Amino acid sequence: MIAGWALKLTAIAVLFFLITPIIAILPLSVNDSEFFTYPMRGFTWRWYSAVANSDKWQIAIKNSFIIGVPATLIATILGTLAAIGLQIADFRGKGFITALLLSPLIVPIVIVAVGLYFFFAPLGLTQTYIGLIFAHAALGAPFVVVTVSASLRSFDRNLSRAGASLGAPPYLVFRRIMLPLVRPGIISGALFAFATSFDEVVIVLLLGAPHQRTIPREMFSGLRDSFNPTIAAVATLLTLLAVILLLVAEWLRQRTARRN
């Protein structure tokens, strides 16, 4: 009984510790004050209006989508193909290659950014949208590998063998049998890849040109140059976007679980 209550209180304390820094910024986005201060002085939507009417924030939003959407598409295709290859094929060094593919998840982002800079610079890809798209695709692909691999673990290979025995070519087996069953994992991975690109700032700072300002880069500059609550408004919008993406990913996970 006491151990149960202690466990619940510990869980609540940990949840409070994790969530409080995120929640604390949300009320400041509607605070009628020029500064990040508590207690609140009043309610206002003017910081959201300032974001909507600001040219620099509109450019930042546009750049985030210009980079994030194609990066997500590339990461989804490459991550799905890599996951299928790792799950179906059995070869020497499979564990090493898997660890290598997932390394961007654990290697510090600064190290990844410096490595990409030295790799892209001789190719003329620094300070270009193409370079940023490829860099963000490299960051997002491991998330797709993880989610698609999880979906493939419950995939019954006898279905593919049955399709092949009936004369279906490999691409038709993939499109009509495997793809519908692993689609929730692909979509979940794509959502995580998009969120990763949308929140990334270090690579944009190192590889991007001065005019290639994404939302996180604009927030970073705002914190350094002009500290005002419009940053809290943008942070709130990004938080809502992340929550929506997580809810969609959880819905897809539950849908996959019900199917299995």
Side-chain angles (χ1 to χ4, degrees), residues 182-249:
V182 302
R183 185 180 293 135
I186 296 174
I187 297 175
S188 297
L191 292 176
F192 283 116
F194 180 74
T196 300
S197 172
F198 222 68
D199 293 338
E200 201 285 323
V201 65
V202 177
I203 288 178
V204 176
L205 284 172
L206 193 61
L207 296 184
H211 66 280
Q212 293 167 336
R213 304 175 77 87
T214 60
I215 295 176
R217 182 172 180 176
E218 197 63 50
M219 293 177 69
F220 183 80
S221 299
L223 290 172
R224 187 183 56 190
D225 301 331
S226 57
F227 201 69
N228 64 64
T230 56
I231 297 174
V234 176
T236 302
L237 295 175
L238 288 179
T239 303
L240 291 176
L241 176 63
V243 170
I244 292 172
L245 294 178
L246 286 175
L247 290 176
V248 173

Side-chain angles (χ1 to χ4, degrees), residues 18 32 44 52 58 76 103 105 156 178 180 197 200 203 206 220 230 234 250:
L18 295 175
D32 192 11
T44 182
Q58 290 181 12
T76 303
S103 61
L105 296 177
D156 187 358
M178 181 180 291
S197 172
E200 201 285 323
I203 288 178
L206 193 61
F220 183 80
T230 56
V234 176
E250 177 61 19

